[in-house]
Amino acid sequence: QDPQSPEAEQFRLAAGQVPEVPFGLSSSAAVLAHYGSSANTVALFRRVDSDRRDLDMNNRDVDAKKLTRFVRVNELRLVTEYDPVTAVGVMQSSLEFNLLLITDKMSPKHPERMRKFRAAAELYKGKILFILLDSNLKSNERVVSYFQLKKSQLPALAIFHTPDDEHEVLTPDEISIERVQDFCNRFLQ
């Protein structure tokens, strides 16, 4: 509640370490009531799945490092890159459908693929969680093998329904917005 408190200072330090995530600080009772928050609570609002995660900073040793980790673990972006840190947030998402773009981030075609994948993600916000999986990361090898894919078959799109593990894989020659839409619509039906 006190914008000059040590907790508020740690909050400001964390905000400086995660510039791509908008931060706001309020001591207004009306704002706290509007969001159903209590004093010294960090509320992380995720636009991708309209979910919220709270971190109570009362009676805890929460510093900027722990706060930054809380944000990194729980944030989900329009396209979330899957790695050991974001895996927790991905697994806890309320969205039941996940679409993975499994690709080599070092490929010269990567920026264009991502542009098209992000554009398609806009169309399914709140319905499908779009995830980028870098096939070069050793920690992602298990996911690639789960979909029974070889490096020679990449890039690939893999969509799955989390409650029943039903999934489908597409290995297109090229990633396009239309191809992603067709693939998603077919699976959703």
Side-chain angles (χ1 to χ4, degrees):
Q1 246 173 340
D2 177 9
Q4 305 307 318
S5 70
E7 295 88 356
E9 183 55 32
Q10 292 302 309
F11 182 82
R12 285 187 194 88
L13 288 171
Q17 293 180 20
V18 192
E20 66 277 10
V21 175
F23 280 71
L25 182 66
S26 179
S27 59
S28 163
V31 170
L32 294 175
H34 175 78
Y35 289 108
S37 291
S38 58
N40 293 332
T41 298
V42 174
L44 178 73
F45 298 94
R46 301 191 312 201
R47 286 182 260 164
V48 167
D49 63 358
S50 301
D51 208 351
R52 171 181 169 170
R53 297 284 186 263
D54 288 347
L55 176 65
D56 181 359
M57 292 184 67
N58 291 307
N59 304 321
R60 285 195 183 180
D61 186 25
V62 177
D63 59 10
K65 186 176 179 181
K66 290 178 184 170
L67 187 52
T68 300
R69 178 156 173 75
F70 168 77
V71 171
R72 291 282 186 223
V73 165
N74 290 292
E75 72 171 323
L76 291 179
R77 299 176 186 206
L78 188 59
V79 174
T80 300
E81 184 167 353
Y82 187 85
D83 60 36
V85 175
T86 61
V88 174
V90 167
M91 298 302 175
Q92 292 178 347
S93 172
S94 59
L95 296 179
E96 293 185 347
F97 294 96
N98 295 336
L99 178 68
L100 281 79
L101 170 59
I102 305 169
T103 188
D104 174 359
K105 280 181 57 179
M106 303 308 283
S107 165
K109 295 181 178 182
H110 179 71
E112 183 60 18
R113 281 184 194 134
M114 281 304 296
R115 186 189 68 71
K116 293 173 181 174
F117 196 61
R118 274 193 189 91
E122 282 285 349
L123 304 171
Y124 294 94
K125 199 184 315 184
K127 295 178 190 156
I128 299 175
L129 182 59
F130 278 61
I131 302 166
L132 168 66
L133 190 103
D134 185 1
S135 60
N136 289 320
L137 289 181
K138 190 140 184 80
S139 59
N140 289 338
E141 286 176 358
R142 243 179 52 212
V143 179
V144 175
S145 68
Y146 173 80
F147 292 109
Q148 299 172 348
L149 290 165
K150 297 178 180 106
K151 286 225 179 208
S152 61
Q153 296 173 292
L154 302 179
L157 294 170
I159 191 166
F160 67 96
H161 185 236
T162 53
D164 61 12
D165 279 341
E166 182 183 346
H167 64 274
E168 192 173 317
V169 176
L170 178 68
T171 54
D173 296 333
E174 188 178 316
I175 303 295
S176 70
I177 298 167
E178 296 77 18
R179 190 163 286 144
V180 171
Q181 275 186 283
D182 289 345
F183 184 57
C184 289
N185 291 341
R186 198 172 58 243
F187 189 81
L188 290 172
Q189 289 172 353

